[in-house]
Amino acid sequence: MLHETRRFPPPAELAADANVKADAYDEAATDRLGFWERAADRLDWTQRWDTTLEWNPPFAKWFIGGKLNVAYNCVDRHVEAGRGDKIAYYWEGEPGDTREITYGDLLTEVSKAANALTELGVGKGDRVAIYMPMIPELPIAMLACARIGAIHSVVFGGFSADALRGRINDGTAKLVITADGGYRRGAPNALKPTVDEAVVDCPSIEKVLVVRRTGQEVDTHDRDVWWHEIVDRQSEVHKPEPHDAEDPLFILYTSGTTAKPKGILHTTGGYLTQVAWTHNAVFDLKPDTDVYWCSADIGWVTGHSYIVYGPLANGATSVMYEGTPDSPHRGRWWEVIQKYGVTIFYTAPTAIRTFMKWGQDIPAQFDLSSLRILGSVGEPINPEAYVWYREHIGGDRCPVVDTWWQTETGSIMISPLPGVAEGKPGAAMRPLPGITADVVDDQAVSVPNGGGGFLVIREPWPSMLRTIWGDDERYKDTYWSRFEGMYFPGDGAKRDEDGDLWLLGRVDDVMLVSGHNISTTEVESALVSHPKVAEAAVVGALDPVTGQAIVAFTILRGDVEGGDELVKELRDHVAKTLGPIAKPRQIHVVAELPKTRSGKIMRRLLRDIADNRSLGDVSTLTDSSVMQLIAAQLPTAKSED
Ligand code: WT7
């Protein structure tokens, strides 16, 4: 185990004025359902529920009998309370064009879009696929669906026509909402041609609604309708109908790394309750003074929950940015933080490690003094990346909250509360109040402090997935069959001597070396703790002696040169940090690592390289040339793509 002794207590003012304090843990432990009822009471219900939870394992229903409208909660109620002029989104286009959208503007736009959807024949329960760039019409489209009770299925704008087609057909969507394109890396990136290619084989699609963003040429078909032609002429008045707490809100596909994507189904009342509560608690949101920015794409669950539904339900002012972090220069994000005075920033470890590689001089050129809280999500954050983030972005004053959750959980499940916990680099700390997470061994027995095993959730939570769209059996098999009566997210974890949780990534990524379980995350963190390493990916390769042997791929920081000397230094460093058993058999210095489009390292492909196998399916890679690049750099590996 890594020995991490650095501790960062919460700033005194933050602790004194925190939205949620330590007593919330006791409150929820004493009466978990009562705790979630009070969280649900932060929303506006047209009819209060009569049963808080109905649990027929593994099927949960929350707030049964309750009725509410998600769009009303995210928009109308703030306008009715006199906050119509408050900014909901400062939107920043990649080329530098901007839009300011108030809650009043959102109400007008969402109402018109809802009327347009109705005119297009979309009604309650219908599925709407959304394939868009990061422009304001994306949250507007989602809220318009929520308003009328249509189920949105947002597909990340970087996915191929095949991926889009599969998701449209699985959900039998009636409508696709898209744009001509969006800006990425300094150029217009077309989306409409991908939709045209996809929908040729989508029999359920009746119309394609197209926002004009870039102005690039598009082919037009009978099924196409321009957003500005239909939405702009609609009435600005739309009455939100109440929906049942358990009516579906959205489907979001999660691919894992290999199998057919799973359509994760989320519903209305429980989802909104928990995203709003966690956004308020984990980011300590003060809606009158904070400027909040989550850098994720809305195509992922992070964007659904923490760019759209959580922040809007809480009446936050957010920044929304269209493009990539390096266009037109590598300080673009820090420039955005400086420009809008961002106070809360939420991003992913993969981005943090990229910035480490680019060097601390870049953020140092900007005024980041407005920041007060930093968040991380998506992967385990290595202690070194945590400390770099805290120092070079957070000015050594901002708490870092490492938030563990999944598409399936809907909201944050394990995270420190920034006004309560002492920060511990690399640890996600404790389950949030109301969440009963545990670490168990393969016999489902809770492990003691200092032990490791499988992460499980023991009791249902409001924003949990309800099923996999159209496939209850797969839902049961995937999440509920490993341990009787417990939700198994597929992640490994350890509980340290203080009882705090460390997430170790997918259990499929654990290596078995000479009979010892070693997590890839820990070896990666040990490598990244060396001052010359920016990023590392570790896999278990077949080994005749040890069963599996550790093979590492590393990216060096800034201008550091590789070579045998350095490789030896790194191997010794790992042995010193974790023990000789964890010393990698090989360390390859590479220029890039293969990642999924959401930034997760595809260890499966690196295992293929380490074992000298031909490469498996590379279609979910961000950049498939990365694999040729790595293979070409390594004398022993070959690639057949
Ligand atoms: C998987 C879920 C949650 C939004 C983004 C990803 C890994 C996520 C952490 C974290 C360690 C993490 C897990 C999880 N993960 N956050 N803070 N520490 N691992 O959503 O694509 O559904 O992926 O991401 O392995 O199961 P997702």
mmCIF file of all heavy atoms in Angstrom, residues 186-230:
data_model
loop_
_atom_site.group_PDB
_atom_site.id
_atom_site.type_symbol
_atom_site.label_atom_id
_atom_site.label_comp_id
_atom_site.label_asym_id
_atom_site.label_seq_id
_atom_site.Cartn_x
_atom_site.Cartn_y
_atom_site.Cartn_z
ATOM 1 N N GLY A 186 -9.954 24.540 -32.865
ATOM 2 C CA GLY A 186 -9.788 25.668 -33.765
ATOM 3 C C GLY A 186 -10.496 25.558 -35.097
ATOM 4 O O GLY A 186 -10.306 26.403 -35.962
ATOM 5 N N ALA A 187 -11.323 24.527 -35.297
ATOM 6 C CA ALA A 187 -11.995 24.406 -36.596
ATOM 7 C C ALA A 187 -13.407 23.884 -36.407
ATOM 8 O O ALA A 187 -13.691 23.204 -35.413
ATOM 9 C CB ALA A 187 -11.207 23.452 -37.494
ATOM 10 N N PRO A 188 -14.305 24.187 -37.351
ATOM 11 C CA PRO A 188 -15.649 23.615 -37.252
ATOM 12 C C PRO A 188 -15.574 22.102 -37.441
ATOM 13 O O PRO A 188 -14.857 21.622 -38.316
ATOM 14 C CB PRO A 188 -16.424 24.255 -38.413
ATOM 15 C CG PRO A 188 -15.522 25.247 -39.036
ATOM 16 C CD PRO A 188 -14.135 25.011 -38.545
ATOM 17 N N ASN A 189 -16.280 21.408 -36.595
ATOM 18 C CA ASN A 189 -16.266 19.947 -36.619
ATOM 19 C C ASN A 189 -17.706 19.527 -36.939
ATOM 20 O O ASN A 189 -18.608 19.745 -36.143
ATOM 21 C CB ASN A 189 -15.806 19.474 -35.232
ATOM 22 C CG ASN A 189 -15.978 18.002 -35.018
ATOM 23 O OD1 ASN A 189 -15.664 17.202 -35.888
ATOM 24 N ND2 ASN A 189 -16.494 17.643 -33.847
ATOM 25 N N ALA A 190 -17.919 18.960 -38.137
ATOM 26 C CA ALA A 190 -19.279 18.674 -38.602
ATOM 27 C C ALA A 190 -19.922 17.543 -37.816
ATOM 28 O O ALA A 190 -19.266 16.553 -37.485
ATOM 29 C CB ALA A 190 -19.241 18.325 -40.080
ATOM 30 N N LEU A 191 -21.197 17.683 -37.493
ATOM 31 C CA LEU A 191 -21.950 16.610 -36.827
ATOM 32 C C LEU A 191 -23.074 16.088 -37.727
ATOM 33 O O LEU A 191 -23.403 14.902 -37.708
ATOM 34 C CB LEU A 191 -22.581 17.128 -35.525
ATOM 35 C CG LEU A 191 -21.630 17.464 -34.382
ATOM 36 C CD1 LEU A 191 -22.408 18.037 -33.208
ATOM 37 C CD2 LEU A 191 -20.866 16.226 -33.933
ATOM 38 N N LYS A 192 -23.666 16.978 -38.504
ATOM 39 C CA LYS A 192 -24.840 16.612 -39.285
ATOM 40 C C LYS A 192 -24.562 15.441 -40.256
ATOM 41 O O LYS A 192 -25.415 14.537 -40.368
ATOM 42 C CB LYS A 192 -25.352 17.859 -40.022
ATOM 43 C CG LYS A 192 -26.540 17.662 -40.950
ATOM 44 C CD LYS A 192 -27.803 17.255 -40.217
ATOM 45 C CE LYS A 192 -29.068 17.336 -41.061
ATOM 46 N NZ LYS A 192 -29.006 16.908 -42.437
ATOM 47 N N PRO A 193 -23.415 15.399 -40.946
ATOM 48 C CA PRO A 193 -23.174 14.262 -41.852
ATOM 49 C C PRO A 193 -23.189 12.919 -41.119
ATOM 50 O O PRO A 193 -23.628 11.903 -41.679
ATOM 51 C CB PRO A 193 -21.773 14.535 -42.424
ATOM 52 C CG PRO A 193 -21.561 16.004 -42.247
ATOM 53 C CD PRO A 193 -22.313 16.391 -41.011
ATOM 54 N N THR A 194 -22.734 12.917 -39.865
ATOM 55 C CA THR A 194 -22.741 11.670 -39.085
ATOM 56 C C THR A 194 -24.179 11.252 -38.800
ATOM 57 O O THR A 194 -24.523 10.069 -38.855
ATOM 58 C CB THR A 194 -21.974 11.880 -37.762
ATOM 59 O OG1 THR A 194 -20.736 12.504 -38.062
ATOM 60 C CG2 THR A 194 -21.734 10.570 -37.046
ATOM 61 N N VAL A 195 -25.018 12.236 -38.484
ATOM 62 C CA VAL A 195 -26.428 11.933 -38.227
ATOM 63 C C VAL A 195 -27.072 11.406 -39.516
ATOM 64 O O VAL A 195 -27.784 10.397 -39.502
ATOM 65 C CB VAL A 195 -27.180 13.183 -37.714
ATOM 66 C CG1 VAL A 195 -28.676 12.906 -37.580
ATOM 67 C CG2 VAL A 195 -26.596 13.636 -36.381
ATOM 68 N N ASP A 196 -26.788 12.066 -40.637
ATOM 69 C CA ASP A 196 -27.363 11.617 -41.922
ATOM 70 C C ASP A 196 -26.990 10.163 -42.188
ATOM 71 O O ASP A 196 -27.819 9.355 -42.608
ATOM 72 C CB ASP A 196 -26.851 12.493 -43.073
ATOM 73 C CG ASP A 196 -27.425 13.911 -43.012
ATOM 74 O OD1 ASP A 196 -28.449 14.108 -42.320
ATOM 75 O OD2 ASP A 196 -26.835 14.818 -43.634
ATOM 76 N N GLU A 197 -25.715 9.845 -41.919
ATOM 77 C CA GLU A 197 -25.246 8.483 -42.165
ATOM 78 C C GLU A 197 -25.919 7.497 -41.208
ATOM 79 O O GLU A 197 -26.316 6.398 -41.605
ATOM 80 C CB GLU A 197 -23.725 8.461 -41.966
ATOM 81 C CG GLU A 197 -23.055 7.202 -42.451
ATOM 82 C CD GLU A 197 -21.567 7.166 -42.062
ATOM 83 O OE1 GLU A 197 -20.947 8.258 -41.890
ATOM 84 O OE2 GLU A 197 -21.056 6.045 -41.909
ATOM 85 N N ALA A 198 -26.090 7.926 -39.962
ATOM 86 C CA ALA A 198 -26.673 7.018 -38.966
ATOM 87 C C ALA A 198 -28.141 6.732 -39.256
ATOM 88 O O ALA A 198 -28.575 5.577 -39.221
ATOM 89 C CB ALA A 198 -26.526 7.616 -37.569
ATOM 90 N N VAL A 199 -28.916 7.790 -39.533
ATOM 91 C CA VAL A 199 -30.374 7.608 -39.543
ATOM 92 C C VAL A 199 -30.897 6.869 -40.771
ATOM 93 O O VAL A 199 -32.062 6.458 -40.791
ATOM 94 C CB VAL A 199 -31.161 8.935 -39.348
ATOM 95 C CG1 VAL A 199 -30.803 9.574 -38.013
ATOM 96 C CG2 VAL A 199 -30.955 9.892 -40.497
ATOM 97 N N VAL A 200 -30.059 6.666 -41.759
ATOM 98 C CA VAL A 200 -30.458 5.855 -42.911
ATOM 99 C C VAL A 200 -30.977 4.489 -42.438
ATOM 100 O O VAL A 200 -31.921 3.948 -43.005
ATOM 101 C CB VAL A 200 -29.258 5.675 -43.875
ATOM 102 C CG1 VAL A 200 -29.587 4.697 -44.967
ATOM 103 C CG2 VAL A 200 -28.849 7.019 -44.441
ATOM 104 N N ASP A 201 -30.360 3.976 -41.392
ATOM 105 C CA ASP A 201 -30.805 2.686 -40.856
ATOM 106 C C ASP A 201 -31.483 2.812 -39.504
ATOM 107 O O ASP A 201 -31.288 1.968 -38.636
ATOM 108 C CB ASP A 201 -29.609 1.734 -40.734
ATOM 109 C CG ASP A 201 -29.062 1.376 -42.097
ATOM 110 O OD1 ASP A 201 -29.874 1.068 -42.983
ATOM 111 O OD2 ASP A 201 -27.834 1.442 -42.269
ATOM 112 N N CYS A 202 -32.244 3.880 -39.313
ATOM 113 C CA CYS A 202 -32.975 4.058 -38.049
ATOM 114 C C CYS A 202 -34.457 4.213 -38.368
ATOM 115 O O CYS A 202 -34.954 5.339 -38.513
ATOM 116 C CB CYS A 202 -32.477 5.290 -37.299
ATOM 117 S SG CYS A 202 -30.782 5.176 -36.737
ATOM 118 N N PRO A 203 -35.190 3.100 -38.455
ATOM 119 C CA PRO A 203 -36.580 3.170 -38.884
ATOM 120 C C PRO A 203 -37.485 3.972 -37.949
ATOM 121 O O PRO A 203 -38.523 4.482 -38.385
ATOM 122 C CB PRO A 203 -37.021 1.703 -38.934
ATOM 123 C CG PRO A 203 -35.969 0.915 -38.249
ATOM 124 C CD PRO A 203 -34.714 1.723 -38.246
ATOM 125 N N SER A 204 -37.101 4.105 -36.684
ATOM 126 C CA SER A 204 -37.983 4.828 -35.754
ATOM 127 C C SER A 204 -37.880 6.347 -35.906
ATOM 128 O O SER A 204 -38.742 7.084 -35.436
ATOM 129 C CB SER A 204 -37.650 4.438 -34.306
ATOM 130 O OG SER A 204 -36.294 4.739 -34.029
ATOM 131 N N ILE A 205 -36.842 6.836 -36.547
ATOM 132 C CA ILE A 205 -36.627 8.295 -36.627
ATOM 133 C C ILE A 205 -37.595 8.938 -37.619
ATOM 134 O O ILE A 205 -37.661 8.551 -38.779
ATOM 135 C CB ILE A 205 -35.163 8.609 -37.024
ATOM 136 C CG1 ILE A 205 -34.219 8.279 -35.877
ATOM 137 C CG2 ILE A 205 -34.999 10.083 -37.442
ATOM 138 C CD1 ILE A 205 -34.373 9.128 -34.631
ATOM 139 N N GLU A 206 -38.330 9.955 -37.122
ATOM 140 C CA GLU A 206 -39.261 10.679 -37.990
ATOM 141 C C GLU A 206 -38.679 12.008 -38.450
ATOM 142 O O GLU A 206 -38.887 12.424 -39.583
ATOM 143 C CB GLU A 206 -40.580 10.912 -37.244
ATOM 144 C CG GLU A 206 -41.304 9.592 -36.944
ATOM 145 C CD GLU A 206 -42.501 9.760 -36.012
ATOM 146 O OE1 GLU A 206 -42.866 10.905 -35.681
ATOM 147 O OE2 GLU A 206 -43.059 8.712 -35.604
ATOM 148 N N LYS A 207 -37.972 12.694 -37.565
ATOM 149 C CA LYS A 207 -37.448 14.028 -37.899
ATOM 150 C C LYS A 207 -36.044 14.208 -37.335
ATOM 151 O O LYS A 207 -35.671 13.563 -36.346
ATOM 152 C CB LYS A 207 -38.329 15.124 -37.265
ATOM 153 C CG LYS A 207 -39.743 15.191 -37.809
ATOM 154 C CD LYS A 207 -39.789 15.926 -39.132
ATOM 155 C CE LYS A 207 -41.218 15.955 -39.668
ATOM 156 N NZ LYS A 207 -41.246 16.057 -41.133
ATOM 157 N N VAL A 208 -35.304 15.116 -37.974
ATOM 158 C CA VAL A 208 -33.994 15.510 -37.469
ATOM 159 C C VAL A 208 -34.035 17.033 -37.275
ATOM 160 O O VAL A 208 -34.272 17.770 -38.233
ATOM 161 C CB VAL A 208 -32.874 15.113 -38.460
ATOM 162 C CG1 VAL A 208 -31.519 15.654 -37.988
ATOM 163 C CG2 VAL A 208 -32.818 13.591 -38.622
ATOM 164 N N LEU A 209 -33.865 17.467 -36.040
ATOM 165 C CA LEU A 209 -33.951 18.897 -35.710
ATOM 166 C C LEU A 209 -32.521 19.433 -35.619
ATOM 167 O O LEU A 209 -31.704 18.912 -34.859
ATOM 168 C CB LEU A 209 -34.698 19.027 -34.379
ATOM 169 C CG LEU A 209 -34.948 20.401 -33.792
ATOM 170 C CD1 LEU A 209 -35.692 21.316 -34.757
ATOM 171 C CD2 LEU A 209 -35.741 20.268 -32.481
ATOM 172 N N VAL A 210 -32.228 20.484 -36.410
ATOM 173 C CA VAL A 210 -30.829 20.893 -36.580
ATOM 174 C C VAL A 210 -30.601 22.336 -36.126
ATOM 175 O O VAL A 210 -31.211 23.268 -36.663
ATOM 176 C CB VAL A 210 -30.414 20.781 -38.074
ATOM 177 C CG1 VAL A 210 -28.903 20.958 -38.214
ATOM 178 C CG2 VAL A 210 -30.863 19.461 -38.678
ATOM 179 N N VAL A 211 -29.705 22.518 -35.162
ATOM 180 C CA VAL A 211 -29.319 23.859 -34.721
ATOM 181 C C VAL A 211 -28.211 24.361 -35.646
ATOM 182 O O VAL A 211 -27.299 23.610 -35.987
ATOM 183 C CB VAL A 211 -28.785 23.825 -33.267
ATOM 184 C CG1 VAL A 211 -28.286 25.209 -32.832
ATOM 185 C CG2 VAL A 211 -29.841 23.306 -32.317
ATOM 186 N N ARG A 212 -28.290 25.640 -36.049
ATOM 187 C CA ARG A 212 -27.182 26.195 -36.833
ATOM 188 C C ARG A 212 -26.169 26.789 -35.875
ATOM 189 O O ARG A 212 -26.448 27.731 -35.160
ATOM 190 C CB ARG A 212 -27.691 27.259 -37.796
ATOM 191 C CG ARG A 212 -26.582 27.771 -38.707
ATOM 192 C CD ARG A 212 -27.076 28.813 -39.668
ATOM 193 N NE ARG A 212 -27.717 28.214 -40.826
ATOM 194 C CZ ARG A 212 -28.625 28.857 -41.577
ATOM 195 N NH1 ARG A 212 -29.014 30.075 -41.261
ATOM 196 N NH2 ARG A 212 -29.141 28.264 -42.629
ATOM 197 N N ARG A 213 -24.990 26.192 -35.833
ATOM 198 C CA ARG A 213 -23.930 26.701 -34.959
ATOM 199 C C ARG A 213 -22.750 27.246 -35.770
ATOM 200 O O ARG A 213 -22.330 28.357 -35.583
ATOM 201 C CB ARG A 213 -23.470 25.579 -34.011
ATOM 202 C CG ARG A 213 -22.071 25.764 -33.411
ATOM 203 C CD ARG A 213 -22.008 26.972 -32.488
ATOM 204 N NE ARG A 213 -20.693 27.186 -31.905
ATOM 205 C CZ ARG A 213 -20.108 28.379 -31.801
ATOM 206 N NH1 ARG A 213 -20.689 29.467 -32.263
ATOM 207 N NH2 ARG A 213 -18.920 28.496 -31.228
ATOM 208 N N THR A 214 -22.231 26.427 -36.672
ATOM 209 C CA THR A 214 -21.009 26.831 -37.381
ATOM 210 C C THR A 214 -21.321 27.507 -38.717
ATOM 211 O O THR A 214 -20.478 28.188 -39.268
ATOM 212 C CB THR A 214 -20.127 25.610 -37.668
ATOM 213 O OG1 THR A 214 -20.901 24.681 -38.440
ATOM 214 C CG2 THR A 214 -19.664 24.938 -36.387
ATOM 215 N N GLY A 215 -22.518 27.255 -39.248
ATOM 216 C CA GLY A 215 -22.863 27.793 -40.558
ATOM 217 C C GLY A 215 -22.281 26.976 -41.704
ATOM 218 O O GLY A 215 -22.369 27.366 -42.870
ATOM 219 N N GLN A 216 -21.697 25.828 -41.407
ATOM 220 C CA GLN A 216 -21.126 25.026 -42.493
ATOM 221 C C GLN A 216 -22.233 24.397 -43.346
ATOM 222 O O GLN A 216 -23.371 24.260 -42.886
ATOM 223 C CB GLN A 216 -20.130 23.991 -41.963
ATOM 224 C CG GLN A 216 -20.693 22.950 -41.032
ATOM 225 C CD GLN A 216 -19.599 22.363 -40.120
ATOM 226 O OE1 GLN A 216 -19.656 22.509 -38.896
ATOM 227 N NE2 GLN A 216 -18.626 21.683 -40.687
ATOM 228 N N GLU A 217 -21.884 24.056 -44.587
ATOM 229 C CA GLU A 217 -22.831 23.434 -45.532
ATOM 230 C C GLU A 217 -23.419 22.155 -44.935
ATOM 231 O O GLU A 217 -22.676 21.345 -44.375
ATOM 232 C CB GLU A 217 -22.067 22.972 -46.779
ATOM 233 C CG GLU A 217 -21.930 23.931 -47.939
ATOM 234 C CD GLU A 217 -23.207 24.538 -48.449
ATOM 235 O OE1 GLU A 217 -24.151 23.795 -48.795
ATOM 236 O OE2 GLU A 217 -23.249 25.783 -48.494
ATOM 237 N N VAL A 218 -24.717 21.963 -45.077
ATOM 238 C CA VAL A 218 -25.271 20.655 -44.713
ATOM 239 C C VAL A 218 -26.163 20.153 -45.847
ATOM 240 O O VAL A 218 -26.796 20.951 -46.544
ATOM 241 C CB VAL A 218 -26.117 20.692 -43.410
ATOM 242 C CG1 VAL A 218 -25.256 20.988 -42.202
ATOM 243 C CG2 VAL A 218 -27.252 21.687 -43.506
ATOM 244 N N ASP A 219 -26.191 18.859 -46.047
ATOM 245 C CA ASP A 219 -27.162 18.263 -46.980
ATOM 246 C C ASP A 219 -28.512 18.328 -46.302
ATOM 247 O O ASP A 219 -28.617 18.051 -45.106
ATOM 248 C CB ASP A 219 -26.846 16.778 -47.209
ATOM 249 C CG ASP A 219 -25.598 16.614 -48.057
ATOM 250 O OD1 ASP A 219 -25.155 17.625 -48.649
ATOM 251 O OD2 ASP A 219 -25.068 15.485 -48.097
ATOM 252 N N THR A 220 -29.560 18.656 -47.050
ATOM 253 C CA THR A 220 -30.872 18.666 -46.409
ATOM 254 C C THR A 220 -31.743 17.536 -46.955
ATOM 255 O O THR A 220 -31.634 17.152 -48.114
ATOM 256 C CB THR A 220 -31.597 20.017 -46.588
ATOM 257 O OG1 THR A 220 -31.490 20.391 -47.950
ATOM 258 C CG2 THR A 220 -30.988 21.076 -45.704
ATOM 259 N N HIS A 221 -32.544 17.010 -46.077
ATOM 260 C CA HIS A 221 -33.444 15.899 -46.398
ATOM 261 C C HIS A 221 -34.844 16.298 -45.945
ATOM 262 O O HIS A 221 -34.984 17.204 -45.137
ATOM 263 C CB HIS A 221 -33.003 14.631 -45.656
ATOM 264 C CG HIS A 221 -31.593 14.238 -45.959
ATOM 265 N ND1 HIS A 221 -31.260 13.347 -46.943
ATOM 266 C CD2 HIS A 221 -30.423 14.647 -45.409
ATOM 267 C CE1 HIS A 221 -29.940 13.213 -46.987
ATOM 268 N NE2 HIS A 221 -29.418 13.987 -46.065
ATOM 269 N N ASP A 222 -35.858 15.568 -46.425
ATOM 270 C CA ASP A 222 -37.238 15.884 -46.041
ATOM 271 C C ASP A 222 -37.448 15.823 -44.533
ATOM 272 O O ASP A 222 -38.267 16.537 -43.984
ATOM 273 C CB ASP A 222 -38.219 14.885 -46.686
ATOM 274 C CG ASP A 222 -38.331 15.145 -48.185
ATOM 275 O OD1 ASP A 222 -37.863 16.234 -48.617
ATOM 276 O OD2 ASP A 222 -38.847 14.265 -48.896
ATOM 277 N N ARG A 223 -36.698 14.931 -43.888
ATOM 278 C CA ARG A 223 -36.906 14.754 -42.448
ATOM 279 C C ARG A 223 -36.292 15.895 -41.628
ATOM 280 O O ARG A 223 -36.515 15.990 -40.428
ATOM 281 C CB ARG A 223 -36.309 13.420 -41.993
ATOM 282 C CG ARG A 223 -34.842 13.296 -42.328
ATOM 283 C CD ARG A 223 -34.208 11.995 -41.888
ATOM 284 N NE ARG A 223 -32.804 12.034 -42.265
ATOM 285 C CZ ARG A 223 -32.292 11.406 -43.311
ATOM 286 N NH1 ARG A 223 -33.037 10.626 -44.077
ATOM 287 N NH2 ARG A 223 -31.003 11.529 -43.604
ATOM 288 N N ASP A 224 -35.470 16.750 -42.253
ATOM 289 C CA ASP A 224 -34.750 17.779 -41.501
ATOM 290 C C ASP A 224 -35.622 18.999 -41.198
ATOM 291 O O ASP A 224 -36.401 19.441 -42.050
ATOM 292 C CB ASP A 224 -33.533 18.275 -42.283
ATOM 293 C CG ASP A 224 -32.488 17.192 -42.473
ATOM 294 O OD1 ASP A 224 -32.571 16.154 -41.782
ATOM 295 O OD2 ASP A 224 -31.596 17.390 -43.328
ATOM 296 N N VAL A 225 -35.445 19.554 -40.018
ATOM 297 C CA VAL A 225 -36.120 20.793 -39.631
ATOM 298 C C VAL A 225 -35.070 21.666 -38.949
ATOM 299 O O VAL A 225 -34.354 21.191 -38.062
ATOM 300 C CB VAL A 225 -37.247 20.502 -38.596
ATOM 301 C CG1 VAL A 225 -37.985 21.786 -38.246
ATOM 302 C CG2 VAL A 225 -38.211 19.436 -39.103
ATOM 303 N N TRP A 226 -34.944 22.915 -39.388
ATOM 304 C CA TRP A 226 -34.002 23.818 -38.698
ATOM 305 C C TRP A 226 -34.589 24.263 -37.373
ATOM 306 O O TRP A 226 -35.743 24.663 -37.283
ATOM 307 C CB TRP A 226 -33.720 25.057 -39.549
ATOM 308 C CG TRP A 226 -32.743 24.827 -40.658
ATOM 309 C CD1 TRP A 226 -33.025 24.783 -41.994
ATOM 310 C CD2 TRP A 226 -31.322 24.625 -40.530
ATOM 311 N NE1 TRP A 226 -31.871 24.565 -42.713
ATOM 312 C CE2 TRP A 226 -30.808 24.462 -41.834
ATOM 313 C CE3 TRP A 226 -30.435 24.552 -39.443
ATOM 314 C CZ2 TRP A 226 -29.454 24.243 -42.090
ATOM 315 C CZ3 TRP A 226 -29.090 24.335 -39.687
ATOM 316 C CH2 TRP A 226 -28.601 24.182 -41.000
ATOM 317 N N TRP A 227 -33.783 24.228 -36.349
ATOM 318 C CA TRP A 227 -34.175 24.691 -35.008
ATOM 319 C C TRP A 227 -34.718 26.128 -35.083
ATOM 320 O O TRP A 227 -35.779 26.430 -34.560
ATOM 321 C CB TRP A 227 -32.941 24.607 -34.089
ATOM 322 C CG TRP A 227 -33.118 25.119 -32.693
ATOM 323 C CD1 TRP A 227 -33.149 26.428 -32.301
ATOM 324 C CD2 TRP A 227 -33.269 24.339 -31.493
ATOM 325 N NE1 TRP A 227 -33.295 26.514 -30.934
ATOM 326 C CE2 TRP A 227 -33.368 25.244 -30.410
ATOM 327 C CE3 TRP A 227 -33.316 22.967 -31.217
ATOM 328 C CZ2 TRP A 227 -33.512 24.814 -29.081
ATOM 329 C CZ3 TRP A 227 -33.455 22.548 -29.899
ATOM 330 C CH2 TRP A 227 -33.566 23.462 -28.853
ATOM 331 N N HIS A 228 -33.978 27.039 -35.771
ATOM 332 C CA HIS A 228 -34.406 28.448 -35.764
ATOM 333 C C HIS A 228 -35.719 28.635 -36.513
ATOM 334 O O HIS A 228 -36.452 29.569 -36.251
ATOM 335 C CB HIS A 228 -33.307 29.373 -36.310
ATOM 336 C CG HIS A 228 -32.822 29.029 -37.683
ATOM 337 N ND1 HIS A 228 -31.713 28.238 -37.896
ATOM 338 C CD2 HIS A 228 -33.301 29.340 -38.901
ATOM 339 C CE1 HIS A 228 -31.527 28.093 -39.203
ATOM 340 N NE2 HIS A 228 -32.486 28.736 -39.836
ATOM 341 N N GLU A 229 -36.014 27.749 -37.450
ATOM 342 C CA GLU A 229 -37.277 27.902 -38.175
ATOM 343 C C GLU A 229 -38.473 27.441 -37.361
ATOM 344 O O GLU A 229 -39.537 28.043 -37.432
ATOM 345 C CB GLU A 229 -37.220 27.173 -39.529
ATOM 346 C CG GLU A 229 -36.367 27.959 -40.512
ATOM 347 C CD GLU A 229 -36.241 27.317 -41.885
ATOM 348 O OE1 GLU A 229 -36.875 26.254 -42.108
ATOM 349 O OE2 GLU A 229 -35.505 27.872 -42.709
ATOM 350 N N ILE A 230 -38.299 26.413 -36.571
ATOM 351 C CA ILE A 230 -39.467 25.935 -35.818
ATOM 352 C C ILE A 230 -39.510 26.482 -34.393
ATOM 353 O O ILE A 230 -40.582 26.856 -33.902
ATOM 354 C CB ILE A 230 -39.568 24.385 -35.849
ATOM 355 C CG1 ILE A 230 -40.912 23.952 -35.234
ATOM 356 C CG2 ILE A 230 -38.418 23.707 -35.125
ATOM 357 C CD1 ILE A 230 -41.286 22.524 -35.497
#
